[in-house]
Amino acid sequence: MRKFLIIAILALLTGLSALPLQAQNSLLRYADKQYELENYSHAASLYEQAHDRKPNYENAQKAALSFQKIQQYDKSFEWWRTTIGYEEATREDFLNYLMSAMKAENGVTSQELLAGSPFKESAFPEIDFAKIRELNNKKANVKLVQPKGINSDGSDFRITEDIEGNKYFTSDRGSVYPSEKPAVRLDAKSNVFSEEKSDLNDREFFGIYRYSNSDDLEKMTFDVPGGLVYSDPTLMESKNILFYTTFRNIRKVKKTREFEVNPEIYFSKITADGTLSETKAFPLNNATEYGVMHPFIDEKGKRVYFASDMPGGFGGFDLYYVTYDDGLNFGSPVNLGSSVNTKEDESHPFIMGEKFHFSSKGHPGLGGMDIFQATFKDEFFTNVENMGVPFNSPRDDFGYFITSKGKRYLSSDRKGGMGMDDIYLIEDLNKYLLARVIDCNGNIISEEFETTLTVRNQNENLPTTRGTKSELLGDVLPETDYNLTISKRGYFKIHDNELTTKGLQGDTLRREYRLAPIPYNMPVFVDIVYYDLDKSQIRENAQPTLDKIADLMKRYSFIDLKVGSHTDSRASKEYNEALSERRADAVRDYLAKFDIPESRVKLDWFGEENRTNDCGDGVPCPETEHQLNRRSELVLEAFPDKNIDYDLPSELLGKDICDPAALFSALNHDVPTIYFDFDKANLRPVHKTELERLALFLQRMRTLNLSIEGHTDQRGNEEYNMKLSERRAKAVMDYLIKRGVEVDRMSSEWLGKTKPVHDCGAVPCTEAMHQLNRRTELHLK
């Protein structure tokens, strides 16, 4: 009896000890079943419980895989980190550990993750570490922002926008319905078990929402037979048709009694009130054999681009297109080829102009799906390029779209979003430089010119372009100082060293610059110095003129002096040529005392060849006429070298650089007033000297004209004085004509005694006051 009792007790204890093991095995079987049914969210929770009860490699690995399936990357990383702590951990476990760390975006480097493990980066050729570093180091100057009224705490992705600004996008916003029934998956083949919700994440099935330009949000209603999931809206706006992806509850009985579903494409007419009607199936649908999804309508090319795993591809889902006509008759599918498609999945096509965008898991990237850009030209897709950061992240990035107004969107499940997947608006961090470069008439310059745009204190030349209206365009950074130089052959260079985006309101930095032609060899000051007979020494009365010239040349480095020296006709030609050379040398040597370099003084000598009058050999002339020939003509010329593109001198800043005569008006000597003896119209010798200077000035300043006004004093009758004033004006004009000033550059009038300086009829006048009335006034215009 006692033996029997002992045996019974032992049997009872043995049975009791087996209960936890049986419960654990039951839990694992149930977890495995949920995983098999793709109910990953529920399976993950069960594997966590199993590991809590009995920590081991298998439970940790299955928990990690389950969380990885439902894209809970933080939890997946935690469980992969636990998994690799077991001795049974394989290279594949470490690979998943690295991948989950990248997607968790926790900032830990691969070297840190692999420290103390038996592996190095080279053990994982599946991960292109060098490419990842390259993409992370080459960031586009844009930022991603959440668009108003779009995202939720669920998944929101694949947005499109019509020309009126109404937005269509995919979302599973709404309630969460925990259950143990697996349902439909969106991204590939699926088993349909529930018509309530997606057991991938226990959320509502995906639907398409319309966010109107009046901020109204509505879920669109579809009439697709058996339709459960709706996503990936794209518009054929010319026909007001919406294309989209759908999963339908189609059942195909197999030996395993499982039900397999593939995605399909449908399209519906959008009515005036926003509802859908006239729904039709895309002719390539074959839901029981393969999937077609992610449509995009290229109305310009009359093509429908889409993704499919139909037979004959490169592996996974490939990108295809079919053509269509106005009657929506569709052609045969064309695979985009190996430059786009890989053995992995490609998805979410979008084309605008020559740029084709798509997402891929097969091209080198940052992890998950990345967005790529290719060139489409002459029916070929080339130059596939990862768009880099921040367009892409270690997680899934897809659904790139550009509106007709240039707004750019993408979808991503990157860290920091509002929900599981989010739609992001892409905004340029760049500001924009828009500069109008105009000529002196205010017209924008369409000809080529050179531009140098640099960040202040840096040497790298930043790119600029010309817009459709010939405006200067460039990308500039916020809160940054710049230097801008604009140059064109024969024009003043423009330097803007105060160009900055600091404090800029808005996105566009607007400027207007005026390119003005350089007035080469422009005379800015003229004068004449005279010499004694047979002498070349500088007279004392000539020194103030040369002192002024020296001062101007020291102040303005862009001004040079031209000297033309002459003699009278007394003595031989050979002697006079040598004498005129000595007179020119005397001017240069005088200026050298002021440290004016010889290179800035250009000397010419002419002997007796260029006389101011007819006092040639053997012609009797008074000494005053000979004196007019013994001279050096001095002309200060601005910008004397036509091979130099001069900077606008600082002395001229703020002046009208398009009016050359006004630029140096302050330097020009005063225009003389010519006085006459009583009842005479003859020119005095002293005034001939002044008119010589004026003639020289007008010969060089060919843009200037001269107004001549003759006057008399008030003695004599009006008729006589009017004729006398006419003769006085004519005397001045005739002299200047003789000295080479064109008659059509001069105008004259005679006013008699009508405009006296002193009104001698009102007050008694002295002879000096009468003298001031006997005059010819000269005015430049």
Side-chain angles (χ1 to χ4, degrees):
M1 183 68 181
R2 181 178 179 187
K3 182 178 180 180
F4 174 79
L5 183 59
I6 293 173
I7 293 173
I9 293 173
L10 288 174
L12 178 62
L13 291 175
T14 301
L16 290 174
S17 64
L19 287 177
L21 179 60
Q22 292 173 1
Q24 177 76 355
N25 290 337
S26 177
L27 179 64
L28 286 173
R29 285 194 301 271
Y30 183 53
D32 290 342
K33 182 62 177 177
Q34 297 306 307
Y35 188 92
E36 179 184 350
L37 295 176
E38 300 182 0
N39 189 358
Y40 300 121
S41 178
H42 194 46
S45 175
L46 296 172
Y47 286 128
E48 280 190 309
Q49 295 177 42
H51 190 273
D52 288 342
R53 295 182 182 182
K54 184 179 181 180
N56 60 35
Y57 165 75
E58 289 80 5
N59 292 339
Q61 184 195 52
K62 290 179 178 179
L65 285 169
S66 298
F67 282 114
Q68 185 169 291
K69 291 288 187 180
I70 58 176
Q71 300 177 348
Q72 290 192 20
Y73 299 117
D74 290 334
K75 295 284 287 183
S76 175
F77 173 66
E78 290 177 12
W79 281 105
W80 282 119
R81 183 168 56 189
T82 302
T83 300
I84 65 168
Y86 290 100
E87 292 182 358
E88 299 97 318
T90 65
R91 189 196 75 88
E92 286 66 28
D93 294 326
F94 275 90
L95 173 62
N96 281 311
Y97 171 58
L98 289 172
M99 296 294 292
S100 65
M102 291 166 54
K103 293 180 182 295
E105 300 181 76
N106 52 21
V108 183
T109 66
S110 58
Q111 292 91 340
E112 292 172 327
L113 292 169
L114 294 174
S117 78
F119 299 105
K120 295 183 179 179
E121 285 185 353
S122 57
F124 306 99
E126 300 92 337
I127 303 176
D128 191 339
F129 293 99
K131 185 67 175 180
I132 290 171
R133 294 187 184 102
E134 174 192 332
L135 293 172
N136 278 313
N137 289 331
K138 190 177 182 179
K139 297 182 179 179
N141 199 28
V142 298
K143 65 178 179 179
L144 305 186
V145 299
Q146 299 264 354
K148 175 186 174 184
I150 300 295
N151 292 317
S152 67
D153 61 353
S155 286
D156 305 278
F157 58 90
R158 187 61 186 269
I159 194 170
T160 191
E161 182 177 308
D162 64 25
I163 196 169
E164 295 179 354
N166 300 305
K167 300 173 178 65
Y168 302 81
F169 63 95
T170 308
S171 180
D172 66 353
R173 64 190 59 206
S175 303
V176 177
Y177 302 101
S179 78
E180 299 177 2
K181 298 179 184 177
V184 69
R185 286 180 50 78
L186 177 66
D187 59 345
K189 301 174 182 177
S190 303
N191 295 324
V192 177
F193 295 90
S194 170
E195 296 187 4
E196 299 173 358
K197 53 86 183 178
S198 169
D199 259 21
L200 176 66
N201 52 24
D202 290 331
R203 301 191 65 87
E204 289 190 0
F205 286 133
F206 286 104
I208 294 176
Y209 286 76
R210 182 176 184 266
Y211 185 75
S212 72
N213 53 20
S214 58
D215 295 341
D216 293 327
L217 180 66
E218 61 175 329
K219 186 175 183 179
M220 304 190 76
T221 302
F222 295 83
D223 59 354
V224 176
L228 297 176
V229 173
Y230 301 95
S231 64
D232 307 320
T234 186
L235 292 164
M236 184 182 286
E237 287 204 67
S238 63
K239 296 182 178 296
N240 212 27
I241 292 175
L242 183 74
F243 281 69
Y244 47 90
T245 301
T246 185
F247 281 90
R248 296 190 299 137
N249 190 1
I250 299 172
R251 303 192 175 192
K252 180 180 181 182
V253 180
K254 295 185 177 181
K255 293 180 180 180
T256 59
R257 308 296 296 176
E258 292 183 354
F259 304 94
E260 189 175 86
V261 171
N262 288 283
E264 301 172 280
I265 293 174
Y266 274 72
F267 55 96
S268 305
K269 189 84 172 180
I270 304 175
T271 63
D273 61 359
T275 59
L276 301 175
S277 64
E278 301 179 35
T279 297
K280 295 180 181 180
F282 191 53
L284 295 180
N285 290 345
N286 193 343
T288 60
E289 299 296 332
Y290 57 81
V292 288
M293 59 183 182
H294 305 154
F296 175 75
I297 309 302
D298 174 18
E299 293 202 66
K300 184 176 181 181
K302 283 189 172 294
R303 291 179 173 182
V304 180
Y305 289 88
F306 60 94
S308 177
D309 62 346
M310 66 177 61
F314 289 88
F317 274 79
D318 282 6
L319 294 180
Y320 294 80
Y321 74 82
V322 294
T323 58
Y324 66 89
D325 60 21
D326 290 338
L328 291 186
N329 298 301
F330 298 94
S332 300
V334 178
N335 190 294
L336 300 194
S338 59
S339 62
V340 171
N341 293 314
T342 68
K343 65 180 181 180
E344 304 294 340
D345 291 336
E346 276 68 47
S347 64
H348 302 92
F350 172 81
I351 192 168
M352 178 176 279
E354 293 186 351
K355 295 300 181 183
F356 179 74
H357 295 86
F358 64 100
S359 289
S360 174
K361 292 182 178 180
H363 290 282
L366 292 169
M369 284 192 292
D370 275 14
I371 300 172
F372 292 81
Q373 176 179 277
T375 300
F376 176 64
K377 191 173 184 181
D378 299 327
E379 298 301 315
F380 290 99
F381 295 88
T382 58
N383 303 321
V384 173
E385 181 182 7
N386 190 300
M387 293 189 70
V389 176
F391 297 98
N392 291 313
S393 70
R395 301 188 183 182
D396 287 337
D397 306 282
F398 56 100
Y400 187 85
F401 177 75
I402 305 175
T403 72
S404 59
K405 296 180 181 179
K407 287 186 178 181
R408 295 170 292 169
Y409 293 92
L410 62 81
S411 304
S412 177
D413 67 340
R414 66 187 59 198
K415 194 171 185 177
M418 190 172 179
M420 297 175 65
D421 293 292
D422 287 289
I423 294 168
Y424 292 90
L425 177 64
I426 303 165
E427 291 186 351
D428 288 315
L429 283 175
N430 281 347
K431 304 293 184 178
Y432 301 99
L433 170 65
L434 191 157
R436 298 180 72 250
V437 183
I438 60 174
D439 61 20
C440 285
N441 295 319
N443 301 316
I444 193 162
I445 293 177
S446 58
E447 298 89 352
E448 291 296 321
F449 52 76
E450 294 184 4
T451 303
T452 302
L453 177 65
T454 59
V455 176
R456 196 168 302 166
N457 301 321
Q458 295 184 17
N459 296 322
E460 181 182 0
N461 189 21
L462 303 176
T464 56
T465 59
R466 301 288 293 277
T468 57
K469 297 181 180 179
S470 296
E471 65 271 33
L472 178 66
L473 306 174
D475 291 338
V476 288
L477 296 171
E479 301 301 313
T480 305
D481 298 321
Y482 289 89
N483 294 328
L484 174 65
T485 300
I486 301 172
S487 59
K488 179 176 171 62
R489 187 69 177 167
Y491 289 75
F492 284 120
K493 288 182 180 178
I494 295 172
H495 295 281
D496 188 350
N497 298 324
E498 297 182 356
L499 192 66
T500 183
T501 55
K502 292 179 178 176
L504 176 66
Q505 300 296 317
D507 292 332
T508 305
L509 180 61
R510 300 179 185 274
R511 289 290 186 273
E512 183 171 272
Y513 302 102
R514 177 167 292 179
L515 266 178
I518 300 171
Y520 288 110
N521 305 116
M522 177 183 173
V524 298
F525 180 82
V526 300
D527 212 333
I528 302 174
V529 295
Y530 293 93
Y531 299 87
D532 293 333
L533 176 64
D534 198 26
K535 303 294 183 183
S536 60
Q537 290 83 4
I538 301 298
R539 287 178 179 175
E540 185 175 348
N541 65 359
Q543 291 179 7
T545 295
L546 294 177
D547 291 347
K548 180 177 182 179
I549 287 174
D551 177 63
L552 292 174
M553 294 182 73
K554 289 177 72 69
R555 285 163 51 194
Y556 304 113
S557 61
F558 54 90
I559 291 178
D560 287 354
L561 177 66
K562 293 187 71 173
V563 180
S565 294
H566 308 265
T567 68
D568 60 24
S569 60
R570 293 176 290 187
S572 68
K573 291 184 178 180
E574 293 77 9
Y575 182 86
N576 283 335
E577 184 168 345
L579 177 59
S580 65
E581 181 180 4
R582 292 196 297 275
R583 286 173 175 171
D585 291 343
V587 173
R588 179 198 61 207
D589 295 342
Y590 186 90
L591 295 176
K593 297 187 299 183
F594 297 91
D595 298 322
I596 304 298
E598 292 184 8
S599 61
R600 296 184 61 196
V601 183
K602 309 299 189 297
L603 304 180
D604 282 314
W605 50 91
F606 303 94
E608 62 184 81
E609 295 302 316
N610 295 334
R611 300 183 305 275
T612 66
N613 49 43
D614 296 328
C615 297
D617 292 340
V619 177
C621 284
E623 181 58 28
T624 54
E625 295 296 308
H626 284 302
Q627 177 65 90
L628 292 176
N629 291 326
R630 299 192 301 268
R631 71 199 189 279
S632 284
E633 297 174 348
L634 311 174
V635 180
L636 281 175
E637 286 188 343
F639 318 112
D641 191 340
K642 291 185 177 181
N643 294 315
I644 298 177
D645 291 329
Y646 291 91
D647 292 336
L648 181 66
S650 59
E651 297 87 352
L652 303 183
L653 295 176
K655 296 187 177 183
D656 185 359
I657 59 176
C658 289
D659 184 0
L663 286 178
F664 301 98
S665 58
L667 304 184
N668 298 330
H669 57 74
D670 294 332
V671 178
T673 297
I674 309 302
Y675 293 98
F676 295 86
D677 293 335
F678 176 67
D679 198 26
K680 302 292 183 183
N682 301 326
L683 294 174
R684 295 173 179 173
V686 64
H687 293 315
K688 289 184 179 181
T689 301
E690 293 174 334
L691 290 176
E692 284 293 322
R693 293 189 178 96
L694 179 59
L696 179 62
F697 180 72
L698 289 171
Q699 289 167 10
R700 300 305 181 102
M701 292 293 291
R702 309 203 58 86
T703 59
L704 294 178
N705 294 324
L706 185 68
S707 172
I708 303 171
E709 294 180 358
H711 302 267
T712 67
D713 61 23
Q714 292 173 297
R715 293 174 289 186
N717 63 53
E718 288 186 6
E719 182 180 358
Y720 181 85
N721 282 333
M722 190 66 70
K723 292 181 178 180
L724 177 60
S725 66
E726 180 182 2
R727 295 196 301 272
R728 288 172 174 172
K730 186 175 186 303
V732 172
M733 179 177 285
D734 289 346
Y735 191 92
L736 293 174
I737 291 173
K738 187 177 179 182
R739 296 301 298 125
V741 180
E742 296 88 345
V743 65
D744 58 1
R745 294 177 58 198
M746 294 182 286
S747 62
S748 66
E749 61 178 330
W750 41 93
L751 302 174
K753 60 180 180 179
T754 59
K755 289 189 177 181
V757 176
H758 298 287
D759 186 358
C760 296
V763 295
C765 285
T766 64
E767 182 57 33
M769 295 168 71
H770 286 301
Q771 174 64 89
L772 292 177
N773 288 336
R774 298 192 302 267
R775 71 202 188 278
T776 291
E777 293 183 358
L778 307 176
H779 304 282
L780 293 172
K781 59 181 183 178

